[in-house]
Amino acid sequence: MTEPVIRAMRESDLPALFEIQCDAGGQTMAAFTSTANDREAYLAKHRRLLADDRIVNVVVEDGGDIVGSAAAFPIGDDIDVTYWIRRDCWGRGLAGAALAAVLEQVEVRPVFASAAFDNLASQRVLERAGFKRTGQDRGFAEARGEEIEEVLFRLE
């Protein structure tokens, strides 16, 4: 088995990432994500995000295939992180590796993240990266069609 490659995201990666993020099981686990599955809207949005130099975007390749991504992005004055790995690649440490690659490029602290209350794997990824739980909140999870608890994290 080859080692995964984590590299800067390119516009040509977006169609593959769109397909990965249309997985209903992955959307349910992520919870706080769009389920519109509108390819053109996704591509337009992510082209804008790629052009924003405040955002760090990386892609994960395994065996030459794109299997996920991670990013750090501003929300107001804060920096948040996100990651998404193709479901058949879960449990292999790819999310943690992608998150580490993003965090290496983010000089400011603190950095924030959140995960659905029952997404224990994502919570472990954050904790292994050094994030600490800071509390809980409730929010509408589009992929589940209801308001749920989310666990809040902070990295100093």
Side-chain angles (χ1 to χ4, degrees):
M1 180 160 30
T2 63
E3 285 292 312
V5 172
I6 300 172
R7 61 168 175 76
M9 187 182 293
R10 301 184 289 251
E11 186 174 333
S12 60
D13 300 326
L14 297 179
L17 293 169
F18 170 74
E19 294 301 324
I20 291 168
Q21 292 187 13
C22 284
D23 173 63
Q27 289 174 344
T28 299
M29 188 56 68
F32 299 97
T33 189
S34 172
T35 58
N37 297 341
D38 180 330
R39 186 177 194 275
E40 292 312 311
Y42 177 92
L43 295 176
K45 173 185 174 184
H46 285 85
R47 284 182 188 119
R48 284 192 308 275
L49 296 176
L50 278 174
D52 188 335
D53 61 3
R54 300 171 302 157
I55 300 174
V56 175
N57 288 293
V58 300
V59 162
V60 182
E61 289 183 353
D62 189 41
D65 292 330
I66 294 172
V67 298
S69 63
F73 57 95
I75 295 183
D77 292 333
D78 296 334
I79 300 294
D80 274 48
V81 294
T82 186
Y83 40 87
W84 192 294
I85 301 297
R86 198 173 70 196
R87 197 159 34 125
D88 65 322
C89 296
W90 288 0
R92 297 180 37 212
L94 298 174
L99 178 59
V102 165
L103 291 171
E104 284 177 7
Q105 297 180 57
V106 176
E107 296 177 7
V108 301
R109 296 292 186 267
V111 176
F112 298 90
S114 64
F117 74 98
D118 57 350
N119 190 341
L120 301 179
S122 189
Q123 292 176 41
R124 281 192 301 273
V125 167
L126 292 166
E127 289 168 341
R128 286 183 186 135
F131 283 81
K132 304 292 184 212
R133 292 172 188 249
T134 59
Q136 287 187 260
D137 198 2
R138 289 192 66 81
F140 183 76
E142 180 178 331
R144 298 186 188 181
E146 65 181 331
E147 190 174 284
I148 66 167
E149 293 287 326
E150 63 181 320
V151 182
L152 307 176
F153 291 87
R154 178 181 175 125
L155 175 68
E156 294 297 333

